[in-house]
Amino acid sequence: MKLLLTAFDPFGGSPINPALEAVKLVGEVPGVRIVKLEVPTVFGKSIETVAAAIRKEQPDAVLCIGQAGGRYDLTPERVAINVDDARIPDNEGNQPIDLPIFADGAPAYFTTLPIKAMVAKIREVGLPASVSNSAGTFVCNHLMYGVLYTLAKDYPGVKGGFMHVPFIPSQTVNRPTPAPPIAQTEIARGNEAAI
């Protein structure tokens, strides 16, 4: 099996993105050839970047990883909605409010990854995990929706989805609680278990 594994670059003024750092640390997973891709935290460009990689790599599955600071666990997402509604600007200053991602897209797309099995496997390695029912309305949801839209239209046999990860410890030093961290090595281990 070939997996396209993506993660965003740092955003929101943070010098680090735990999703990206953990993806860099993901090692070999038996039976899976992993292709890693750094994605810009930018509306539009994020989808274009991953769609181009899907065309080039022809993966069997796509798993996108993003940061959801303040969450307590690793959370595979169930659904992406067709709306961009940014509370902060992306890395190029874009801040869409209540706009559709694709005018011809469905109101929502559900993941085609086995999210409950992913949660079970992450828990088996001793890490907290749960299914999430909201990918938000920032670039994470934007990318998840765009990937599932692209797969539904052009690659119906390819599985796809998204998983959020918490902060790492260095990101929580000056943050008010609750902002529970997980070490990036542990996030990487959780990613491997999910894969």
Side-chain angles (χ1 to χ4, degrees):
M1 183 182 104
K2 187 176 188 180
L3 173 71
L4 178 61
L5 182 64
T6 81
F8 289 107
D9 61 2
F11 69 96
S14 178
I16 193 167
N17 187 324
L20 179 60
E21 297 311 310
V23 162
K24 289 177 183 176
L25 295 175
V26 167
E28 292 185 17
V29 176
V32 183
R33 181 172 163 231
I34 300 172
V35 177
K36 299 176 186 178
L37 177 67
E38 182 175 336
V39 179
T41 307
V42 178
F43 289 99
K45 282 188 180 176
S46 56
I47 294 173
E48 293 164 9
T49 300
V50 178
I54 292 169
R55 280 192 300 276
K56 177 185 173 194
E57 298 293 341
Q58 298 290 306
D60 300 295
V62 181
L63 174 58
C64 305
I65 309 293
Q67 170 190 292
R71 289 196 185 177
Y72 289 80
D73 50 1
L74 284 74
T75 53
E77 297 293 344
R78 187 188 304 270
V79 62
I81 60 174
N82 192 8
V83 65
D84 287 335
D85 189 19
R87 64 175 177 77
I88 61 171
D90 69 12
N91 284 351
E92 291 188 354
N94 305 301
Q95 193 172 7
I97 305 296
D98 293 334
L99 295 177
I101 299 168
F102 286 103
D104 66 339
Y109 287 104
F110 287 89
T111 185
T112 52
L113 297 178
I115 55 175
K116 289 192 175 179
M118 292 165 65
V119 165
K121 289 295 185 182
I122 295 166
R123 289 178 178 172
E124 280 178 20
V125 299
L127 294 170
S130 64
V131 170
S132 169
N133 292 311
S134 176
T137 56
F138 193 53
V139 186
C140 292
N141 175 77
H142 178 85
L143 179 60
M144 180 181 177
Y145 185 93
V147 166
L148 294 172
Y149 170 93
T150 300
L151 296 180
K153 284 188 70 166
D154 301 325
Y155 308 92
V158 178
K159 306 275 187 210
F162 195 98
M163 185 165 69
H164 272 115
V165 301
F167 285 136
I168 57 175
S170 65
Q171 292 179 289
T172 64
V173 173
N174 295 312
R175 289 185 188 270
T177 55
I182 296 179
Q184 66 189 30
T185 54
E186 294 294 90
I187 294 173
R189 202 162 60 88
N191 290 345
E192 292 168 359
I195 292 166

